[in-house]
Amino acid sequence: MSTDPVAAAFEWTRAADAGLTFRRIADADLPFLARLYASTRTGELTVTPWSTEQKAAFLAMQFHAQHAHYQQHYPTADWLVTMRGGEDIGRLYLDRWPSEHCVIDIAFLPEHRGSGLGGALMRDLLDEADRAGKAMTIHVEKFNPAMRLYRRLGFVTEEDKGVYDLMRWQATGTSGPQVKIA
């Protein structure tokens, strides 16, 4: 079992086996989180005629708006930086509601995408939700390559939200105790 208190608290064994560790976000993480956010939007901005400076300003504005929105509307969520080998490589924002677990956001830097890390972590999150007897939801952009992973894991589109699909995975296990990290 991992020595990482977050992974251990939630029995995220696959993530730990893949070398992932987690820590709560702090103000000092905002530049990294902004860079991570920008990396998820770079592709769509390649078609805009904006200058590099205009794109950077737009991405900074969008990151700060998203961050403020998430903090305001999900006050009980776990806000985690995902690390591997001591390097910050991603983020996981997860809220545990009475009826379901909600993956608010999961993202990795480009060089860590498609390597199985997200799949390992998502399987752990699904195991956690299943032990609690809860569904899991996530909003996914329709053209996000991770959509294939979510479908393989058993998520189904519950609602078309325009650019995003609200996807739901239904638990098959029984309720168990919930653990919240301090």
Side-chain angles (χ1 to χ4, degrees):
M1 184 58 123
S2 170
T3 59
D4 177 54
V6 175
F10 299 117
E11 301 179 29
W12 295 347
T13 56
R14 291 179 189 89
D17 289 347
L20 298 180
T21 57
F22 305 87
R23 73 167 190 287
R24 292 196 176 283
I25 67 168
D27 287 344
D29 293 312
L30 291 177
F32 164 73
L33 294 170
R35 183 170 56 93
L36 174 64
Y37 173 81
S39 78
T40 69
R41 305 283 309 271
T42 302
E44 68 191 88
L45 292 180
T46 59
V47 298
T48 67
W50 298 345
S51 70
T52 301
E53 294 78 19
Q54 289 170 315
K55 290 177 185 180
F58 173 78
L59 290 169
M61 177 189 66
Q62 290 289 296
F63 166 73
H64 290 293
Q66 181 193 67
H67 184 74
H69 173 84
Y70 284 169
Q71 295 288 310
Q72 178 184 357
H73 293 283
Y74 301 97
T76 62
D78 284 324
W79 308 100
L80 304 172
V81 171
T82 306
M83 300 172 295
R84 189 169 194 213
E87 175 190 359
D88 297 344
I89 66 164
R91 70 181 183 182
L92 171 65
Y93 300 163
L94 177 69
D95 212 350
R96 295 170 181 86
W97 299 333
S99 62
E100 68 188 47
H101 289 187
C102 174
V103 176
I104 302 162
D105 199 284
I106 181 172
F108 291 93
L109 290 171
E111 59 269 26
H112 298 280
R113 295 178 196 153
S115 63
L117 298 175
L121 179 53
M122 285 301 298
R123 284 177 178 86
D124 283 341
L125 298 175
L126 293 174
D127 286 349
E128 179 188 334
D130 194 50
R131 286 190 301 273
K134 296 181 182 181
M136 180 170 287
T137 58
I138 187 170
H139 284 87
V140 183
E141 289 181 327
K142 292 184 185 303
F143 299 107
N144 184 333
M147 181 72 80
R148 292 185 309 274
L149 169 65
Y150 300 128
R151 293 207 185 284
R152 279 195 315 267
L153 293 174
F155 282 86
V156 296
T157 299
E158 181 173 84
E159 186 177 350
D160 183 327
K161 298 275 201 171
V163 175
Y164 295 92
D165 283 344
L166 172 60
M167 302 190 77
R168 175 176 297 275
W169 173 90
Q170 198 60 48
T172 59
T174 59
S175 293
Q178 283 294 288
V179 180
K180 184 78 174 165
I181 56 176

